[in-house]
Amino acid sequence: VRRPGRYLVDGLTGVCDLLQRAGGPGFQAQSRGVQVSDPGHAPKRIVDFLSWLRHGMASENPKLHANEIVHVPVRLKEVTLSGEVAYPGAYDILPGETLVHLVEQAGGGFLQGADQKNVQVSRVLDGAQRERLQLDATGIQREETLSPGDSVLVLDRAVTQDSIVVLGEMRKPKPPGSPEESPEESPEKSPEESAAKMARARVATRFSYKIAQGERVSDVA
C-alpha cells in the first residue's frame, strides 16, 4: 500500500475502508488478493478490493477486528485484458478464475460492440512457446480457466465480420452501384465550390464493402 503502518479502527471499519485510508494498493499490488489474518487464528481471509471498488460488493468489505493484519501482496501472476471491455489492463487472477468472471469482475464487462463469440487468448506454454486459442464466451467456453501470463483480446464485431471499411482519397467516393451524376443533374460549379466538395469527400468518405474469401487489397482498391 502507499502508506503502510498501524491504524486505529472502530467496529464499523471494513478491510477496503482501511485500504483507502492507507492510500490504496500500490502500482504492483494484488488488488484482488488482499489477505486478512489474525495472529492467533487461521485461516486467512481473502478480499477482492477491486470488486468492491468497481461494483460496491459489501461482501468484499468485511469488518475488521482488533490486531488483525491486512497484507497486500505483490502482483506476480497476472493476465492482460485488452480490446472491447470497459477497463482494459493487467490484472492478478484468482485461483481457478474463468474467462467471463475475469471480464465481468475485473474488466467491467463486455462493451456493446464486443464479439463475445471470438475472444482471442494467447497462452504461454513450456519452453516460452505461445498457444493461440479462440474462445466463445457465450457458450461452454465461458468457463475456460485462465492461466498466469495469458493475454486476452476481445475483438470488435466490425473487425470479425465479412466486410471492410474503405475511407480516404478514393477516385470515385461513391459506394458500389450508386448512379453517376448526369450533366443535367450536376450544374456547373465554381472552382471554389468544386474544391470544397472534394475536401469534404476526402474527409467524410467512408464506405463498407462486402468481401469474398481470398480477395486482396488490389481487388477492393
Side-chain angles (χ1 to χ4, degrees), residues 6-206:
R6 297 179 64 89
Y7 288 84
L8 184 64
V9 300
D10 57 30
L12 299 178
T13 304
V15 175
C16 296
D17 300 324
L18 178 62
L19 285 176
Q20 287 194 314
R21 286 176 57 186
F27 180 70
Q28 291 294 333
Q30 284 191 33
S31 59
R32 308 183 65 213
V34 177
Q35 302 173 5
V36 183
S37 61
D38 186 328
H41 300 85
K44 297 178 180 178
R45 291 185 290 172
I46 303 298
V47 172
D48 188 342
F49 175 73
L50 186 62
S51 291
W52 177 80
L53 199 63
R54 294 264 171 84
H55 309 291
M57 298 176 63
S59 60
E60 299 299 340
N61 189 28
K63 298 298 183 286
L64 285 163
H65 306 294
N67 300 319
E68 282 191 317
I69 299 172
V70 178
H71 175 58
V72 183
V74 175
R75 187 174 67 229
L76 298 176
K77 300 177 180 181
E78 65 181 21
V79 168
T80 302
L81 187 59
S82 58
E84 296 298 295
V85 295
Y87 304 110
Y91 298 100
D92 49 297
I93 60 172
L94 305 176
E97 187 161 38
T98 63
L99 167 66
V100 171
H101 189 271
L102 176 74
V103 172
E104 291 178 348
Q105 296 300 317
F110 294 100
L111 296 182
Q112 186 174 3
D115 185 359
Q116 298 185 39
K117 296 185 177 182
N118 186 28
V119 179
Q120 309 292 314
V121 177
S122 178
R123 177 166 296 165
V124 179
L125 302 177
D126 293 338
Q129 295 182 342
R130 277 195 172 269
E131 175 186 28
R132 297 191 181 278
L133 307 174
Q134 181 175 314
L135 304 179
D136 182 354
T138 65
I140 192 171
Q141 289 178 320
R142 66 185 283 116
E143 301 301 326
E144 175 76 18
T145 302
L146 296 174
S147 302
D150 282 355
S151 294
V152 179
L153 172 61
V154 182
L155 297 172
D156 189 324
R157 277 197 303 269
V159 174
T160 57
Q161 292 175 344
D162 59 344
S163 63
I164 61 170
V165 173
V166 179
L167 66 162
E169 297 202 33
M170 293 177 282
R171 182 173 298 175
K172 293 181 179 180
K174 291 176 176 290
S178 60
E180 296 288 341
E181 276 188 346
S182 63
E184 293 77 18
E185 295 172 343
S186 178
E188 190 69 26
K189 295 182 175 61
S190 67
E192 292 79 8
E193 290 176 323
S194 299
K197 181 179 179 182
M198 181 59 70
R200 288 195 298 272
R202 286 175 176 172
V203 174
T205 302
R206 180 186 179 96

